[in-house]
Amino acid sequence: MANRAYSTPISTWAFHTVCTRLPALMTPALVALALLGLATPDPVISGRAAHTQGVAQ
């Protein structure tokens, strides 16, 4: 029987940690970016597209 029958290799532990914690940290940031994108007005609809592109009206 092995000395450490129940120990987890560091590579498996690191992979599991990255796969579970990284999405948990990224999800709130992506949701915040999506909400920010929904909250900002569309420049074409608001009439600012010509101003931002430098087109003379």
Side-chain angles (χ1 to χ4, degrees):
M1 186 180 249
N3 282 340
R4 299 180 189 174
Y6 297 107
S7 67
T8 304
I10 189 69
S11 60
T12 304
W13 176 81
F15 180 74
H16 183 319
T17 301
V18 167
C19 288
T20 56
R21 303 249 167 98
L22 193 60
L25 293 174
M26 288 176 53
T27 301
L30 293 176
V31 169
L33 282 175
L35 291 176
L36 181 66
L38 289 174
T40 56
D42 186 17
V44 175
I45 295 173
S46 64
R48 294 182 298 157
H51 177 67
T52 57
Q53 295 176 357
V55 177
Q57 289 183 341

